[in-house]
Amino acid sequence: MPLFVRGFFISVSKPQKEKHLMTKEKKLRFQTPIAETSYTHLTTPDFEYNDDGVYSVMLVFDQRPQFFDEMEAYAAETFGKKKVSLPFKKNDEDRWVFKTKSKYRPKFFDSTGKGIPDEDVRNIWAGSVVRVGGTYKAFDNASKGVTTYPSRVQIISYAQSNTGFDAVDDGFVHEAVAQDTFDADEDQF
């Protein structure tokens, strides 16, 4: 629509909306095989790079899971042969690492598939064994790729927290020891 300003006609166009690559009709889901966790922020959000906090986890696999092929095929269908960012890669130890994150806390389930109330979920430390389910979609902004959002986590086994201290023989032992109750900021050390 032309606009008349100081004796000139200026063409004004509507602002472009962000290109949405996933329609509501096509919700793409994933479910990982059982895997070991690394860099885990599933029960409390991580505020290091996002002021609003992000729930995230990296899963480590010895073999490449099949759902990686599905995500690659989706990326190829969406972007063609362009190089895109994917939520997985092979690490230096020849293992596959998968990262998923969301601004929403996922729902938790025990190894039998029974839901766990939020107040009963303990901290999930690195080395815990879980299965994660959620959704994924393409993004197209400064870069292009596929991102994932965890919505549910099945806890197979908890790893013990690592306080950084070795046990000392004949030292003080608190009588009422509770597991995973020390909630201080681990990054302060």
Side-chain angles (χ1 to χ4, degrees):
M1 162 185 251
L3 180 67
F4 189 76
V5 177
R6 295 186 184 180
F8 296 97
F9 281 102
I10 299 173
S11 178
V12 178
S13 60
K14 292 181 180 178
Q16 299 259 340
K17 289 186 176 181
E18 182 180 316
K19 187 175 180 182
H20 293 283
L21 297 173
M22 187 175 108
T23 64
K24 289 184 180 185
E25 298 86 39
K26 190 175 182 182
K27 203 168 211 181
L28 302 170
R29 298 185 182 279
F30 73 90
Q31 181 169 300
T32 70
I34 294 171
E36 184 179 314
T37 62
S38 177
Y39 298 103
T40 306
H41 290 278
L42 288 170
T43 53
T44 56
D46 179 11
F47 293 96
E48 186 171 350
Y49 299 107
N50 186 318
D51 291 339
D52 296 327
V54 174
Y55 295 93
S56 65
V57 66
M58 293 177 95
L59 300 179
V60 182
F61 303 96
D62 290 326
Q63 296 191 8
R64 181 184 163 103
Q66 182 178 351
F67 79 97
F68 288 2
D69 296 337
E70 295 165 10
M71 286 185 183
E72 280 183 332
Y74 171 67
E77 176 186 317
T78 306
F79 299 112
K81 295 186 181 212
K82 296 177 184 172
K83 185 165 176 71
V84 297
S85 174
L86 294 169
F88 56 85
K89 65 180 180 179
K90 204 171 211 180
N91 68 10
D92 296 339
E93 298 168 355
D94 210 30
R95 297 178 78 194
W96 288 93
V97 178
F98 170 71
K99 183 172 184 177
T100 183
K101 63 183 179 177
S102 175
K103 62 182 177 179
Y104 303 107
R105 182 178 173 164
K107 300 289 183 196
F108 295 93
F109 300 85
D110 67 14
S111 62
T112 67
K114 182 181 172 189
I116 305 172
D118 284 347
E119 62 273 7
D120 292 342
V121 177
R122 297 183 357 213
N123 284 335
I124 300 174
W125 302 99
S128 295
V129 178
V130 301
R131 182 183 337 211
V132 176
T135 58
Y136 62 97
K137 72 173 188 172
F139 63 88
D140 184 1
N141 43 34
S143 61
K144 299 176 186 318
V146 175
T147 189
T148 62
Y149 304 98
S151 58
R152 60 195 193 288
V153 176
Q154 184 179 25
I155 302 167
I156 308 304
S157 66
Y158 282 104
Q160 294 298 316
S161 65
N162 182 358
T163 61
F165 295 107
D166 294 328
V168 177
D169 292 334
D170 300 322
F172 168 76
V173 178
H174 187 281
E175 291 182 23
V177 176
Q179 296 239 342
D180 297 328
T181 57
F182 183 73
D183 291 326
D185 183 7
E186 292 175 351
D187 294 333
Q188 68 182 333
F189 292 96

